[in-house]
RNA sequence: AGGACCAUAGCUCAGUUGGUUAGAGCGCCACGUUGACAUCGUGGAGGUCGGCGGUUCGAAUCCGCCUGGUCCUACCA
């Protein structure tokens, strides 16, 4: 083995080997355990959040696999409608100078597929770097054939049950992307805005009670004035009671609009009058519905002013009687331009009463960054109420459990106030809505065009027969209908016949489905649904979903609703919610802030110039580049060193406290890289001392186990239970901590050192050496298995060499640590007596080291120590451990002093009641020792003071449990004894 | 406005049902390289557990209020 741990040389080699050996495929044996990966966007590249999440999932999967479960980690990617479409659009524009409209829908979709085949594998390749043991043979895509089938099925069934409907509704419209987006895709940002107070003249000579001829309304959106269809006042408002039912004349437009009484109007705010624009504001939409006002849309899809407005009722029917003329001057103006013009015109007309500056919140599209416009459009919706109910119950009754639990409240709060889900998107890339229209706009929802056409023919035949009495034509249509079917697409013969019959072909809806509609089917569509094959029966419901809290609404909630509806099962039994990975300062990582860390750079390292280039390369705001470059140079003056995947994974795990955001700490990453190095070197030591030696692998030779051997084996059992319990509770930080502590602070710091006197002692028996070698090897082998789910690569690399020595593998490379049994603690190997003996030994060694350090005695200088006040067991322990003391404390001798009075001047340390004396002659600085003793005495005094205070409190003695009081008394005695010894010593030295 | 979460060493974080001499890693100080590891070893310094009040024999831990921070939801016509 190399002297230094070099992860790059082992990691990809092992991954390829595992994959080639089919290690990631479900074993088909044991209890099923399955995790469905949250499918990353096919356009994506691995960021810290993925790396964190994938580490957690892989650790769970590897752990369960070692426990003998039939594990499936389902992998795949999401087609990510808007993101992918935008990316390919930009690419086509850059390479061919064409827009998607130049190409046309079909050609553009072909381009997207082409892109997907060429570049869509980026993120999955990166997943391999993380060591993710996903089953690549089942990789899925949310637009593959199976998904296509599942999506059609779900849509058609929801539609036939009336749970999907189409309607003209106000939606969040993105004027840049020309599509509706869901509430969740809207980001609200605080802004400074203006608040214009306008006068609306009363019509028909009516006056207010105060004698005015106008009402005052205030708005932040003057341009929507053109679409006002009413002015509301509060029904309780005495100032305007007489005006309800009267009209105002809408300025600039001249339309008469009614004054209505509605509780939406707040008497306290402004004048108490509010303009109502049902087609351009969500609140006004509700007011309009209550008050039966018309909807008047004044915007195009670009959010520019229409030359002529459009009027509808709430069923979406056009209202031809309403005068929809708009002032010509505004036609075609962008909304913000129109705003300026309208304010200017209102001012010119003397109708602008005042302008206030206010802070308000504006909705922005999270993809386009454009201001979202509430716009009246035809959209498809899922009626969620009936789906939400069982989804809430599943969490209430514990079928689905959130970890940590408090996320359930967030879930409930959202689910209980759910709006219908707008599922149509005006995009090209995605699952096209399976709905077809005839020339009259009648809709036919079906799994494919043939099915839709058959529905249409049926209806048409019925109509012709019953309404027109034309039996012959009806018959011909019906018999033609019989000929269809079998194929999902209309054959050319069928098309010809239709033409002959004078039946026009149906046209399919142009819209596609929201991405989350298909990813909502992820847990079961990946398992072959609508068929319920063996995979489905084995792996559904999945065991646990690992996801970020930010996606609970987008995805988790919708998965629960759709999965319950269509499979009758929950999608997963547990949801492990993790936090966000932030930078070292707690800032969200974002490209625009220039604080992004790429997990691959942490693994492979990156030099400073490349890192700066990466962070400043393609900024939206290039003026930030300088500051970002400086911050980067300050934080990483040497760039980033390679750390390896295992160290990165261990860092994530050690910071993975449930549900909490993590501030990524480079210091810890370095520390865990060192931890890997420690494991590496400890293994080198073991191999150097065991390879080619007799290490009792076959159990056929007698072994003699030393105290240290029995102790480390006992500690191993404790560590095994700790790690297992922590994993069960998703406390990866605790699992990592327990492992780290055991390996470094016990196995390396003490056990390896304790093994040296045995292995290097010529006198030691073969059985003793064999016992120590066997223990060295077997404990290490168990550590490797225990660590493998967290650090897969280094553990495999070392295990291949160690396991043959431990007798658990042949060493011919055909085996893998991946499928070795998870270490099980065995109670009969716990040895508390050995623990106490080792604690004593450590105490003596530390005591001597302490004196050396405090007294400036060279670490290598052999010492003669004296021991007094020892009990019989102290004497036994000394005899049993002389070689260890000699080696670890560098003692030349340790001699019992029968009469403490005879003690020469010494530096004294206490180990229990026993005193360890390091004679001062020629060694010790008197003043230094006095200072040290003073410090020690002071410390004891404080402890004594605290305990005395407690025991002096009568109610403590009276009310606290007897054992607690006893414990305090014991402490007091110990502290006092220690103080006495120290004080005696001080006096002795002082008297010198 | 409502709600959630957080506040422990210079930094990043642990601290299970109240009883600990409040811990870890990094950083810091001192000493140390012949036999696994300087990506190391040994020893050490460093904390009124955000503030105030309450419950209790006893509070980092439970309750209330306050301050500061993060986030979510709603509203701002």
């Amino acid at each position: 083995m190399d002297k230094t741990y070099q992860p790059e040389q082992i990691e990809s080699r092992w991954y390829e080997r595992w994959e080639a050996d089919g290690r990631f495929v479900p074993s088909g044996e044991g209890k099923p355990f399955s995790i469905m990966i949250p499918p990353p966007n096919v356009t994506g590249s691995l960021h810290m959040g993925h790396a964190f999440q994938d580490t957690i999932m892989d650790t769970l999967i590897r752990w369960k696999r070692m426990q003998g479960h039939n594990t499936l980690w389902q992998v795949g990617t999401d087609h990510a409608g808007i993101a992918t479409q935008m990316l390919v659009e930009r690419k086509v524009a850059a390479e061919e100078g064409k827009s998607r409209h130049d190409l046309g829908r079909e050609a553009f979709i072909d381009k997207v597929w082409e892109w997907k085949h060429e570049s869509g594998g980026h993120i999955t390749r990166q997943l391999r770097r993380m060591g993710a043991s996903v089953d690549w043979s089942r990789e899925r895509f949310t637009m593959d054939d199976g998904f296509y089938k599942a999506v059609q099925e779900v849509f058609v069934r929801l539609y036939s049950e009336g749970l999907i409907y189409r309607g003209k509704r106000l939606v969040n419209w993105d004027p840049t992307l020309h599509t509706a987006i869901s509430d969740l895709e809207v980001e609200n940002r605080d802004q400074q805005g203006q608040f214009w107070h306008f006068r609306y003249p009363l019509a028909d000579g009516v006056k207010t009670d105060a004698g005015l001829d106008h009402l005052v309304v205030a708005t932040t959106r003057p341009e929507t004035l053109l679409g006002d269809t009413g002015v509301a006042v509060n029904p309780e408002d005495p100032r305007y009671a007489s005006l309800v039912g009267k009209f105002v004349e809408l300025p600039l437009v001249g339309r008469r609009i009614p004054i209505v009484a509605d509780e939406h109007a707040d008497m306290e705010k402004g004048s108490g009058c509010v303009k109502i624009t049902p087609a351009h504001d969500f609140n006004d939409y509700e007011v309009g519905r209550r008050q039966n006002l018309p909807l008047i849309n004044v915007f195009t899809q670009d959010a520019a002013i229409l030359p002529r407005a459009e009027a509808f009722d709430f069923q979406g029917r056009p209202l031809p009687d309403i005068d929809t003329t708009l002032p010509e001057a505004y036609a075609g103006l962008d909304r913000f331009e129109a705003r300026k013009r309208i304010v200017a015109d209102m001012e010119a007309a003397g109708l602008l009463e005042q302008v206030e500056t206010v802070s308000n919140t504006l909705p922005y599209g999270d993809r386009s960054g454009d201001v979202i416009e509430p716009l009246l459009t035809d959209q498809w919706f899922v009626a969620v109420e009936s789906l939400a109910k069982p989804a809430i119950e599943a969490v209430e009754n514990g079928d689905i459990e959130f970890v940590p639990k408090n996320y359930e409240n967030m879930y409930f709060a959202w689910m209980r106030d759910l709006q219908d889900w707008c599922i149509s998107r005006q995009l090209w890339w995605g699952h096209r809505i399976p709905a077809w229209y005839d020339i009259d706009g009648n809709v036919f929802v079906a799994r494919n065009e043939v099915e839709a056409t058959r529905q249409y023919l049926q209806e048409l035949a019925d109509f012709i027969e019953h309404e027109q009495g034309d039996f012959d034509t009806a018959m011909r249509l019906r018999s033609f209908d019989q000929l269809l079917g079998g194929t999902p697409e209309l054959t050319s013969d069928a098309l010809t016949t239709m033409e002959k019959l004078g039946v026009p072909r149906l046209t399919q809806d142009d819209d596609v489905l929201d991405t989350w509609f298909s990813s909502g089917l992820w847990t079961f569509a990946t398992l072959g649904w609508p068929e319920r094959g063996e995979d489905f029966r084995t792996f559904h419901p999945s065991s646990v979903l690992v996801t970020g809290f930010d996606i609970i609404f987008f995805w988790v909630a919708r998965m629960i609703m759709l999965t319950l509806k269509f499979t009758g099962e929950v999608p997963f039994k547990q949801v492990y919610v993790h936090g966000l990975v932030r930078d070292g300062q707690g800032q969200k990582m974002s490209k625009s802030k220039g604080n992004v860390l790429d997990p691959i750079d942490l693994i492979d390292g990156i030099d400073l110039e490349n890192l700066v280039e990466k962070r400043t390369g393609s900024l939206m705001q290039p003026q930030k580049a300088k500051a970002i470059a400086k911050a980067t140079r300050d934080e990483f003056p040497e760039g980033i060193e390679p750390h390896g995947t295992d160290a990165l994974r261990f860092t994530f795990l050690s910071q993975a406290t449930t549900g909490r955001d993590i501030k990524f700490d480079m210091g810890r990453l370095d520390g865990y890289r060192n931890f890997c190095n420690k494991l590496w070197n400890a293994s080198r030591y073991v191999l150097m001392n065991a390879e080619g030696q007799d290490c009792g692998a076959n159990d056929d030779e007698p072994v003699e186990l030393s105290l240290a051997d029995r102790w480390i084996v006992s500690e191993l059992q404790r560590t095994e239970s700790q790690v297992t319990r922590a994993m069960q509770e998703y406390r990866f930080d605790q699992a990592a901590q327990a492992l780290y502590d055991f390996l470094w602070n016990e196995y390396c710091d003490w056990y390896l050192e304790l093994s040296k006197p045995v292995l290097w002692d010529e006198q030691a028996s073969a059985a003793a050496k064999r016992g120590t070698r066997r223990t060295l090897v077997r404990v290490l082998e168990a550590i490797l298995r225990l660590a493998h789910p967290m650090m897969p690569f280094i553990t495999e690399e070392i295990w291949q060499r160690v396991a043959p020595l431990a007798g658990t593998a042949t060493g011919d490379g055909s085996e893998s640590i991946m499928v070795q049994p998870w270490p099980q603690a065995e109670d009969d190997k716990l040895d508390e007596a050995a623990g106490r003996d080792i604690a004593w030994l450590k105490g003596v060694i530390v005591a001597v080291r302490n004196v050396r350090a405090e007294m400036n005695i060279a670490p290598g200088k052999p010492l003669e120590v004296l021991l007094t006040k020892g009990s019989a067991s102290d004497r036994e322990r000394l005899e049993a451990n002389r070689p260890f003391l000699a080696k670890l404390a560098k003692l030349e001798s340790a001699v019992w002093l029968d009469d403490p009075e005879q003690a020469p001047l010494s530096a004294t340390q206490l180990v229990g009641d026993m005193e360890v004396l390091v004679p001062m002659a020629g060694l010790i600085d008197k003043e230094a020792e006095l200072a040290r003793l003073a410090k020690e005495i002071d410390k004891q005094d404080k402890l004594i003071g605290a305990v005395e205070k407690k025991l002096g409190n009568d109610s403590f003695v009276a009310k606290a449990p007897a054992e607690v009081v006893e414990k305090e008394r014991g402490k007091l005695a110990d502290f006092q004894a220690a103080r006495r010894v120290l004080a005696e010593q001080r006096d002795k030295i002082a008297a010198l």
Side-chain angles (χ1 to χ4, degrees):
Chain A
M1 282 171 83
D2 290 330
K3 191 172 171 185
T4 320
Y5 162 61
Q6 282 167 332
E8 65 278 12
Q9 301 193 351
I10 56 180
E11 294 182 348
S12 38
R13 174 159 55 82
W14 276 116
Y15 196 89
E16 282 162 25
R17 178 68 193 269
W18 292 329
E19 197 177 341
D21 289 351
R23 300 281 183 203
F24 306 151
V25 178
S27 65
E29 286 163 18
K31 218 170 112 193
F33 180 87
S34 56
I35 296 181
M36 307 294 168
I37 200 170
N41 285 358
V42 66
T43 54
S45 57
L46 192 83
H47 57 58
M48 292 293 274
H50 292 127
F52 178 38
Q53 190 176 62
D54 295 336
T55 297
I56 290 168
M57 285 184 279
D58 193 48
T59 300
L60 286 169
I61 281 283
R62 286 178 185 271
W63 173 52
K64 289 289 174 181
R65 192 184 286 121
M66 289 177 80
Q67 284 190 325
H69 288 71
N70 184 17
T71 52
L72 167 63
W73 188 5
Q74 174 67 48
V75 69
T77 48
D78 189 276
H79 67 276
I82 297 181
T84 311
Q85 177 165 320
M86 281 171 73
L87 185 140
V88 177
E89 256 182 301
R90 272 200 300 271
K91 186 169 179 276
V92 170
E95 288 173 5
E96 306 174 33
K98 287 184 184 165
S99 76
R100 72 181 150 107
H101 299 283
D102 295 335
L103 289 176
R105 185 167 186 148
E106 259 181 59
F108 179 76
I109 298 287
D110 287 345
K111 286 275 178 200
V112 181
W113 279 111
E114 210 174 278
W115 175 88
K116 197 249 165 193
H117 292 308
E118 278 168 21
S119 317
H122 184 59
I123 194 159
T124 52
R125 279 191 295 277
Q126 291 183 312
L127 211 49
R128 288 173 159 93
R129 291 301 311 278
M130 289 306 299
S133 57
V134 297
D135 183 359
W136 293 107
S137 69
R138 297 167 186 250
E139 184 175 357
R140 294 294 300 271
F141 181 55
T142 54
M143 271 185 49
D144 63 25
D145 291 344
F147 259 93
Y148 181 78
K149 239 166 114 182
V151 166
Q152 307 305 308
E153 187 68 23
V154 165
F155 190 97
V156 169
R157 273 159 64 170
L158 286 174
Y159 181 80
S160 68
E161 290 183 41
L163 294 175
I164 281 184
Y165 63 92
R166 184 167 187 265
K168 199 178 266 303
R169 294 295 142 88
L170 213 48
V171 295
N172 296 304
W173 183 262
D174 189 318
T176 301
L177 299 175
H178 286 181
T179 181
I181 60 176
S182 76
D183 290 350
L184 293 170
E185 293 163 303
V186 174
E187 187 190 333
N188 291 303
R189 292 191 214 154
D190 289 330
Q191 307 271 309
Q192 283 293 313
Q194 283 175 306
F195 200 35
W196 289 272
H197 297 250
F198 291 139
R199 293 178 182 167
Y200 278 21
L202 288 158
D204 311 316
V206 172
K207 295 244 161 45
T208 66
D209 290 0
L212 297 174
D213 61 356
H214 61 264
L215 295 177
V216 174
V217 298
T219 182
T220 54
R221 310 253 357 238
E223 66 279 13
T224 64
L225 172 157
L226 304 175
D228 286 359
T229 59
V231 170
V233 297
N234 193 283
E236 309 288 315
D237 196 333
R239 291 172 295 178
Y240 305 113
S242 67
L243 297 178
V244 174
K246 304 288 194 297
F247 291 82
V248 297
E249 186 181 303
L250 187 60
L252 309 180
V253 182
R255 195 160 60 229
R256 275 164 62 90
I257 58 175
I259 298 164
V260 298
D262 192 282
E263 59 266 27
H264 172 65
D266 185 340
M267 289 192 279
E268 309 295 315
K269 276 186 188 158
S271 65
C273 303
V274 54
K275 71 197 243 342
I276 303 298
T277 323
H280 294 287
D281 180 281
F282 289 101
N283 285 310
D284 291 4
Y285 183 87
E286 293 305 320
V287 177
R289 188 209 296 279
R290 283 198 292 271
Q291 302 297 336
N292 203 23
L293 299 175
L295 292 147
I296 295 186
N297 173 43
V298 300
F299 283 145
T300 66
Q301 297 199 340
D302 294 304
I305 306 294
L306 284 165
R308 191 176 185 92
E310 303 162 341
F312 302 96
D313 66 11
F314 277 81
Q315 272 68 51
R317 291 181 295 241
L319 293 172
D321 295 343
I322 290 187
D323 178 11
T324 52
T325 46
L326 295 175
E328 279 173 34
Y330 307 130
L333 288 184
D334 172 75
R335 54 191 159 159
F336 300 113
E337 199 53 39
R339 176 179 302 175
K340 281 186 209 152
R341 290 284 290 275
I342 284 170
V343 171
D345 291 349
M346 289 295 279
E347 187 169 16
L351 297 174
L352 177 62
E353 185 151 303
Q354 60 158 317
V355 186
E356 274 181 86
T357 300
V358 291
S359 62
N360 60 352
T361 316
L362 249 49
Y364 285 83
D366 64 0
R367 286 283 166 196
S368 65
D370 198 2
V371 177
I372 292 306
E373 194 62 51
L375 198 73
L376 201 59
T377 49
D378 289 309
Q379 302 288 348
W380 291 90
F381 294 86
V382 173
V384 291
E385 202 184 338
S386 67
L387 299 174
K389 202 167 161 278
I392 292 169
E393 283 164 4
V395 175
E396 279 172 344
N397 66 25
D399 291 346
I400 298 174
E401 193 189 346
F402 281 72
V403 180
K405 201 122 188 121
N406 53 316
Y407 283 101
E408 289 179 5
N409 292 326
M410 187 169 152
Y411 173 80
F412 289 138
W414 192 70
M415 291 296 282
R416 284 173 182 148
D417 187 29
L418 209 50
Q419 304 292 308
D420 281 357
W421 174 17
C422 175
I423 50 171
S424 44
R425 295 289 182 276
Q426 288 65 48
L427 305 173
W428 287 357
W429 177 242
H431 285 281
R432 197 157 171 184
I433 290 180
W436 284 261
Y437 303 95
D438 67 14
I439 46 172
D440 298 322
N442 296 309
V443 62
F444 301 93
V445 168
R447 287 166 184 80
N448 52 54
E449 187 181 357
V450 168
E451 255 187 47
T453 305
R454 292 180 67 183
Q455 284 179 25
Y456 171 51
L457 290 169
Q458 290 287 348
E459 280 189 23
L460 196 61
D462 288 353
F463 178 81
I464 287 172
E465 179 176 333
H466 297 122
E467 303 294 322
Q468 301 182 344
D470 182 348
F471 296 97
D472 288 352
T473 308
M475 194 71 88
R476 274 206 299 281
L477 289 174
R478 288 204 178 98
S479 59
F480 171 59
D481 175 46
Q482 301 297 314
L483 297 176
L484 290 170
T487 57
E489 278 156 38
L490 291 169
T491 59
S492 54
D493 283 355
L495 287 169
T496 316
T497 313
M498 278 170 72
E499 209 169 304
K500 265 191 223 151
L501 289 166
V503 178
R505 191 172 176 179
L506 300 176
T507 51
Q508 188 172 2
D509 197 301
D510 280 332
D511 291 354
V512 301
L513 288 164
D514 181 8
T515 300
W516 301 101
F517 190 89
S518 48
S519 51
L521 318 180
W522 186 247
T523 64
F524 57 100
T526 48
L527 293 172
W529 189 89
E531 274 86 66
R532 290 176 179 245
E534 200 188 324
D535 281 347
F536 180 87
R537 293 196 307 273
T538 307
F539 294 114
H540 203 272
S542 64
S543 308
V544 55
L545 178 77
V546 177
T547 188
F549 65 90
D550 50 328
I551 220 162
I552 290 181
F553 304 145
F554 274 112
W555 191 44
V556 179
R558 286 162 180 173
M559 267 202 284
I560 295 173
M561 289 193 285
L562 291 172
T563 310
L564 279 167
K565 173 77 185 167
F566 286 97
T567 68
E569 294 179 355
V570 295
F572 27 71
K573 293 169 200 149
Q574 287 187 308
V575 183
Y576 172 87
V577 183
H578 65 249
L580 225 59
V581 183
R582 299 170 175 277
D583 75 2
Q585 281 70 248
Q587 298 283 314
K588 230 178 194 167
M589 290 192 192
S590 78
K591 209 164 177 314
S592 62
K593 280 193 204 126
N595 61 348
V596 173
L597 286 171
D598 183 337
I600 303 297
D601 293 340
L602 298 174
I603 292 171
D604 290 338
I606 183 169
D607 65 48
L608 180 59
E609 293 316 314
N610 280 316
L611 180 62
V612 169
E613 168 57 27
K614 215 165 157 173
R615 285 183 163 192
T616 56
S618 53
L619 283 171
M620 300 273 262
Q621 297 154 285
Q623 69 274 17
K624 282 188 177 169
K626 223 176 142 188
I628 290 172
K630 184 177 183 310
T632 303
R633 286 174 198 282
D634 288 350
E635 195 182 352
F636 303 101
E638 315 286 328
I640 297 173
E641 292 185 319
H643 293 86
T645 301
D646 287 323
L648 178 62
R649 288 172 61 121
F650 206 79
T651 308
F652 282 132
L653 293 168
S654 73
Q655 290 197 270
T657 314
T658 37
R660 205 172 143 149
D661 283 358
I662 65 175
K663 287 188 213 172
F664 190 81
D665 184 3
M666 288 298 292
R668 291 183 77 154
L669 179 62
D670 290 339
Y672 295 125
R673 191 260 329 261
N674 295 354
F675 178 62
C676 291
N677 186 60
K678 192 73 179 175
L679 173 58
W680 185 263
N681 278 294
S683 305
R684 280 181 65 221
Y685 168 81
V686 172
L687 292 171
M688 282 165 129
N689 285 287
E691 270 181 336
Q693 310 269 346
D694 176 4
C695 31
N698 300 322
D699 289 327
D700 49 8
E701 297 282 333
V703 293
E704 188 181 303
L705 294 183
S706 71
L707 167 63
D709 295 334
R710 284 178 282 122
W711 164 73
I712 198 69
V713 168
S714 174
E715 285 299 300
L716 173 66
Q717 310 310 309
R718 285 191 28 215
T719 305
E720 286 171 355
S721 4
Q722 276 173 21
V723 172
T724 304
R725 192 179 45 216
M727 297 276 262
Q728 276 160 358
E729 293 168 357
Y730 298 101
R731 288 301 304 267
F732 304 105
D733 58 326
Q734 291 179 349
Q737 179 67 36
L739 184 74
Y740 183 101
D741 189 57
F742 176 69
L743 173 63
W744 199 314
N745 300 332
E746 306 298 349
Y747 187 74
C748 290
D749 284 354
W750 289 103
Y751 182 67
L752 295 191
E753 295 307 320
L754 292 168
S755 75
K756 289 172 184 176
V758 178
L759 297 180
W760 297 351
D761 179 6
E762 314 263 314
Q763 313 293 314
S765 71
K769 290 190 177 188
R770 190 181 297 123
T772 290
R773 285 199 199 98
R774 193 174 88 173
T775 308
L776 274 171
V777 162
R778 290 194 179 180
V779 172
L780 176 59
E781 196 270 345
I783 289 172
L784 292 169
R785 281 183 285 131
L786 207 52
H788 178 259
M790 301 187 238
M791 305 191 293
F793 296 112
I794 187 175
T795 48
E796 177 78 290
E797 176 75 11
I798 299 171
W799 186 84
Q800 293 292 335
R801 304 253 322 245
V802 169
L805 302 174
T808 56
T810 58
D812 66 2
S814 66
E815 289 130 313
S816 167
I817 192 174
M818 279 186 67
V819 289
Q820 299 305 309
W822 177 250
Q824 286 273 332
E826 294 169 56
D827 286 349
D828 61 350
K829 289 187 173 156
L830 288 172
D831 189 336
E832 289 188 22
R836 285 190 296 272
D837 287 345
I838 291 287
W840 179 91
L841 180 61
K842 284 182 179 180
V844 176
I845 292 166
V846 168
V848 175
R849 284 176 179 169
N850 205 302
V851 171
R852 281 181 192 276
E854 298 274 347
M855 296 300 110
N856 262 323
I857 302 169
K861 181 178 174 58
L863 288 180
E864 298 179 7
V865 302
L866 302 171
L867 303 167
T868 66
K869 300 187 184 167
S871 64
S873 72
D874 286 330
R875 286 174 186 262
E876 277 173 34
R877 282 168 169 159
L878 176 69
E879 293 318 312
N881 291 299
R882 280 187 184 277
F884 298 120
L885 287 169
K887 173 84 173 89
L888 273 70
K890 297 263 170 16
L891 293 191
E892 192 165 82
S893 65
V895 176
W896 285 105
L897 191 62
D898 293 324
D899 179 3
E901 300 302 317
Q902 302 288 308
L905 281 170
S906 307
T908 305
Q909 289 275 329
L910 288 168
V911 177
D913 290 333
M914 182 177 76
E915 291 173 23
V916 179
L917 308 176
V918 179
M920 289 174 71
L923 288 176
I924 291 169
D925 174 347
K926 173 181 166 185
E927 294 308 317
E929 177 63 0
L930 278 175
R932 184 182 76 82
L933 288 168
K935 202 180 75 185
E936 283 298 311
I937 290 167
D938 191 51
K939 192 171 148 195
Q940 295 299 322
D941 280 341
K942 281 192 184 131
L943 293 171
I944 290 166
V947 181
E948 276 178 340
K949 194 174 152 206
K950 245 186 197 175
L951 288 166
N953 181 345
D954 292 340
S955 42
F956 170 72
V957 180
K959 293 189 182 174
E963 66 201 58
V964 173
V965 177
E966 247 344 278
K967 203 172 145 196
E968 291 299 319
R969 292 212 169 100
K971 274 199 252 174
L972 183 60
D974 289 349
F975 297 154
Q976 282 170 338
R979 191 194 187 283
R980 205 159 42 238
V981 171
L982 293 162
E984 277 168 18
Q985 194 67 20
R986 177 196 57 194
D987 296 344
K988 243 180 186 174
I989 294 175
L992 207 67

